[in-house]
């Protein structure tokens, strides 16, 4: 009975996490596009500006470049890990668990890394509403992704 309950909890968390990772990818894509469009412009002689940084973002603070970059990496891997998760929930056997658990655990660690940069960005205080939204989503995802990993591992013990 508990195994069926864990399967429904894992399914709910998988769908929730996928939707949140897609939102993170959308906001991160916007931020990356804005940084490319409004970043440093290299002059005709290819002279770099005095304070050139390859991850300069015109909005936010000094942590924004790292935050957006790692949020995009975590978002891509998190969304892609749902493929293994869907396969595992569909079959719900011990044979499908290792791939789903590994992908989910790696997505969770990348989400924790992005959440660390989100915390640093919150500490530095200067950011816009979209970045604040992405920070909140990554903080929530760090918890829900952990719960998903726990739910699929808990079913393996039964």
């Amino acid at each position: 009975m508990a195994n069926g309950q864990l399967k429904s909890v894992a399914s709910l968390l998988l769908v929730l996490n996928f939707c949140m990772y897609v939102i993170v990818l959308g906001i991160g894509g916007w931020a990356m596009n804005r940084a490319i469009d409004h970043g440093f412009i290299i002059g005709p002689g290819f002279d770099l500006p005095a304070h050139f940084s390859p991850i300069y973002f015109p909005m936010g603070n000094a942590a924004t470049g790292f935050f957006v970059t790692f949020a995009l990496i975590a978002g891509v891997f998190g969304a892609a890990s749902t493929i293994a998760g869907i396969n595992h929930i569909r079959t719900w056997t011990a044979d499908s668990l290792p791939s789903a658990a590994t992908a989910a655990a790696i997505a969770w660690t990348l989400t924790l890394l992005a959440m660390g940069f989100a915390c640093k960005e919150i500490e530095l205080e200067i950011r816009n509403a979209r970045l604040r939204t992405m920070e909140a989503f990554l903080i929530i995802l760090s918890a829900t992704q952990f719960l998903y990993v726990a739910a699929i591992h808990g079913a393996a013990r039964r």
Side-chain angles (χ1 to χ4, degrees), residues 89-158:
I89 287 175
R90 187 177 53 80
T91 60
W92 202 252
T93 62
D95 294 336
S96 63
L97 177 65
S99 62
T102 302
I106 293 171
W108 178 59
T109 57
L110 289 171
T111 303
L112 286 177
L113 181 62
M115 186 200 68
F117 285 115
C119 292
K120 184 61 178 179
E121 189 174 36
I122 291 168
E123 180 186 333
L124 296 177
E125 294 183 0
I126 304 169
R127 61 209 193 278
N128 64 21
R130 290 180 182 152
L131 292 175
R132 275 184 254 141
T133 302
M134 195 162 67
E135 292 162 2
F137 271 68
L138 280 166
I139 291 168
I140 294 166
L141 270 168
S142 66
T144 58
Q145 185 70 16
F146 174 74
L147 292 175
Y148 170 70
V149 170
I152 61 175
H153 274 90
R157 300 199 193 294
R158 305 236 181 257

Side-chain angles (χ1 to χ4, degrees), residues 69-85:
T69 302
F70 284 102
L72 283 170
I73 293 169
V76 167
F77 203 93
S81 73
T82 60
I83 295 168

